Each structure stands twice: as C-alpha cells, then as structure tokens.
Amino acid sequence: QVQLVESGGGLVQAGGSLRLSCAASGRTFSRYAMGWFRQAPGKEREFVAGISWSGGSTYYTDSVKGRFTISRDNAKNTVYLQMNSLKPEDTAVYYCAARLMATAQAMGIIPRVDYWGQGTQVTVSS
C-alpha cells in the first residue's frame, strides 16, 4: 500500500512559478514510477508528467514541455513538479500518482495507475 500526499499548490500570477511536492509512504517507493495529472473544472483528468522508478527518464505532455520539470528523491520518498511560466490554462487540481515498475511514458495511462493522491489546487490568475 502506498499513500500519496501532495502539497505546494496555491494562487500565482501568470508567468510565475510553483513547486508541487508529493510525499509517499511505504518502503517500496523506489519501485514505482510516479506522475502528475491535473483536472480542470468540467474537464477530464489529464496526464502532465511522468518519471520512471529510477528517475532516469521523464515524459511530458506537449503543453508543459519546457515549462514544467518532474523530479524525484528516492531517499526522501518524494516526487516534485517544478512549474515555471505558468499560464491561466494551467489552473486545475493537480494529482500525484504511482504505478509499479512502469516507464515514464506509460505512467500516463490513467486506468493503470495504482495509487492516487488527494490533489492540490493550483490557480493561475491573468
């Protein structure tokens, strides 16, 4: 069992930055690929970024490439999402997710996610 707790969301002006953190419980964190998803009001949940269990590979949806960076610290059981140059369309609830032994790209297959966090709100004002 893995429990995920996100933090770091908030209100920021367009062009600003935020860093989201996701703390995971359990001693097998390093066996899980990790990812970030988001869901805006009235829209479906979408994949944002994924990182392999080793941290050796990452994958991003096109709309955030060059602006967002996913990273992980297996010693701290934590995954991060650094978000720069934020836009109003980035406004959403952001969810952390885990999938056992997946690739960074495969992390984006929503039905295959093993664990979800509770979400943290990110609001970008124009």
Side-chain angles (χ1 to χ4, degrees), residues 6-83:
E6 302 97 333
S7 61
L11 173 65
V12 64
Q13 289 187 333
S17 298
L18 282 175
R19 189 175 83 154
L20 305 183
S21 299
C22 173
S25 66
R27 293 177 289 181
T28 59
F29 175 74
S30 62
R31 298 177 61 196
Y32 285 83
M34 300 297 296
W36 288 95
F37 294 76
R38 65 187 180 187
Q39 188 166 17
K43 295 187 177 181
E44 294 186 350
R45 190 170 299 190
E46 66 170 351
F47 172 73
V48 175
I51 187 166
S52 62
W53 60 272
S54 68
S57 65
T58 57
Y59 189 80
Y60 300 90
T61 193
D62 286 345
S63 62
V64 307
K65 285 181 181 177
R67 300 189 299 123
F68 291 10
T69 302
I70 188 171
S71 61
R72 67 189 296 163
D73 185 339
N74 285 347
K76 296 182 178 180
N77 280 16
T78 303
V79 63
Y80 306 97
L81 185 68
Q82 178 66 43
M83 304 186 294

Side-chain angles (χ1 to χ4, degrees), residues 76-103:
K76 296 182 178 180
N77 280 16
T78 303
V79 63
Y80 306 97
L81 185 68
Q82 178 66 43
M83 304 186 294
N84 299 328
S85 302
L86 282 161
K87 304 175 181 180
E89 51 263 45
D90 295 317
T91 295
V93 177
Y94 282 71
Y95 296 90
C96 177
R99 180 179 169 187
L100 184 65
M101 297 298 285
T103 66

